[in-house]
Amino acid sequence: MKKILHANDLNKKNIVLINIENEIYKSLKNKLIELNSNIIIADYFTKEKTKNKNVSIYKIDKNKNIYNEYTILCNLIKRKYKHIDVLIINNTKIPNLTPIEYIEIDNWINTINNNINYSFLIIKTLIPLLKLSNNGLIILNAYHQKKIEKAFMGEIACSNAFLISLMKIINEEHKNSNKVRVNIIDINKIKKNNIYPLKKNMNESTLNIINTFIYIMQEKNKHLKNKILSTTKKWII
């Protein structure tokens, strides 16, 4: 089985993970800990606790004003870490594949909030801390990007289209300074209730996903932006 590849230049990098409720992002967190990165976890659902001095965990309360919650998070991160090198947002809501006419309104609103509104607000709030890095990086994730206009993909397609437009706009706004760049990782395969459930030993698909994240975070690839990277490709790290 292919091993997770290394990236020594992630040592002491300040990396924010938004939502790590599924096993892929928990595995990514563990890999970044191995690489001696500073991990800041901001999660709506987390029950995690840690004694690792390189890991900070913040709970975001969706029942409160979400923008205020992100503002508080921003201030806490600034006080402790001064800046952010990488912001990784896990758009956690994977809707059912449903014809437009049968999409439940509550489900639609929930998907839009999770995949669009919350992503926009967290980026808006944390961009000032990313600009303080030498090359602030935002990583978003999309699902089934190659099938974006297929039948029953309405909620996923709308989410993906927004994220792609947001990526291009942010990159355009910072093209002269190069202080912030955005890329998207396309997690190609969806399984009900989870993406590639983590088994006792990680399978090839899980390793590919984590390697894709590591690849885009490497110093040698800091020129990459406006890219949609597939997790089925074998990236050279």
Side-chain angles (χ1 to χ4, degrees):
M1 179 180 289
K2 188 179 81 170
K3 294 182 179 180
I4 298 177
L5 300 172
H6 294 278
N8 293 330
D9 47 3
L10 293 181
N11 179 51
K12 296 301 181 183
K13 292 288 187 180
N14 299 331
I15 301 176
V16 177
L17 297 173
I18 305 295
N19 295 333
I20 60 165
E21 63 171 327
N22 67 45
E23 296 297 340
I24 289 297
Y25 286 85
K26 290 178 182 177
S27 300
L28 176 61
K29 174 205 71 175
N30 292 334
K31 181 58 187 175
L32 292 172
I33 290 173
E34 288 180 25
L35 295 173
N36 203 35
S37 302
N38 295 321
I39 310 299
I40 303 111
I41 298 169
D43 208 318
Y44 309 115
F45 312 103
T46 189
K47 295 180 181 178
E48 287 204 18
K49 296 181 180 179
T50 183
K51 294 182 180 179
N52 190 313
K53 64 180 182 179
N54 291 340
V55 179
S56 298
I57 301 174
Y58 302 100
K59 178 72 178 290
I60 298 173
D61 190 345
K62 283 187 176 181
N63 295 319
K64 296 182 180 179
N65 183 300
I66 198 70
Y67 183 60
N68 287 344
E69 289 286 286
Y70 289 150
T71 302
I72 293 169
L73 172 66
C74 180
N75 291 334
L76 290 170
I77 294 173
K78 185 176 183 179
R79 190 177 305 141
K80 184 172 182 177
Y81 296 97
K82 310 304 182 186
H83 72 276
I84 296 170
D85 295 299
V86 183
L87 170 61
I88 300 173
I89 301 177
N90 173 23
N91 311 305
T92 57
K93 179 61 178 174
I94 306 173
N96 295 322
L97 304 184
T98 309
I100 293 293
E101 62 186 303
Y102 296 120
I103 294 176
E104 296 288 341
I105 296 301
D106 287 345
N107 289 344
W108 171 264
I109 292 172
N110 191 22
T111 300
I112 296 302
N113 277 335
N114 277 279
N115 295 357
I116 295 180
N117 293 336
Y118 296 158
S119 297
F120 167 78
L121 289 173
I122 194 68
I123 290 171
K124 169 182 167 56
T125 309
L126 296 183
I127 272 185
L129 296 185
L130 285 157
K131 289 168 68 175
L132 295 175
S133 173
N134 289 329
N135 187 253
L137 169 63
I138 300 170
I139 303 177
L140 305 172
N141 61 263
Y143 301 110
H144 271 317
Q145 178 57 29
K146 291 182 179 179
K147 298 181 179 180
I148 193 168
E149 295 177 350
K150 298 290 185 180
F152 315 130
M153 300 287 288
E155 293 176 77
I156 296 175
C158 289
S159 298
N160 286 358
F162 170 83
L163 294 173
I164 292 168
S165 294
L166 185 64
M167 172 182 71
K168 292 178 179 179
I169 290 168
I170 294 172
N171 285 328
E172 183 70 17
E173 289 177 349
H174 294 88
K175 67 179 181 180
N176 293 326
S177 68
N178 289 321
K179 289 185 176 181
V180 178
R181 62 191 174 97
V182 188
N183 291 287
I184 289 175
I185 291 179
D186 183 9
I187 300 178
N188 300 85
K189 296 182 180 179
I190 299 173
K191 289 191 176 184
K192 189 174 182 181
N193 299 327
N194 209 338
I195 308 168
Y196 300 124
L198 187 65
K199 299 176 181 178
K200 186 174 182 180
N201 295 311
M202 279 189 285
N203 58 35
E204 189 77 5
S205 299
T206 303
L207 292 172
N208 285 346
I209 292 172
I210 294 175
N211 277 340
T212 308
F213 278 102
I214 301 298
Y215 174 85
I216 200 66
M217 285 188 277
Q218 280 188 286
E219 189 70 18
K220 70 176 184 179
N221 295 318
K222 66 181 183 180
H223 62 285
L224 296 177
K225 58 184 178 181
N226 274 336
K227 301 295 184 183
I228 301 176
L229 288 83
S230 170
T231 54
T232 60
K233 183 174 179 178
K234 304 293 191 298
W235 298 102
I236 299 173
I237 299 179

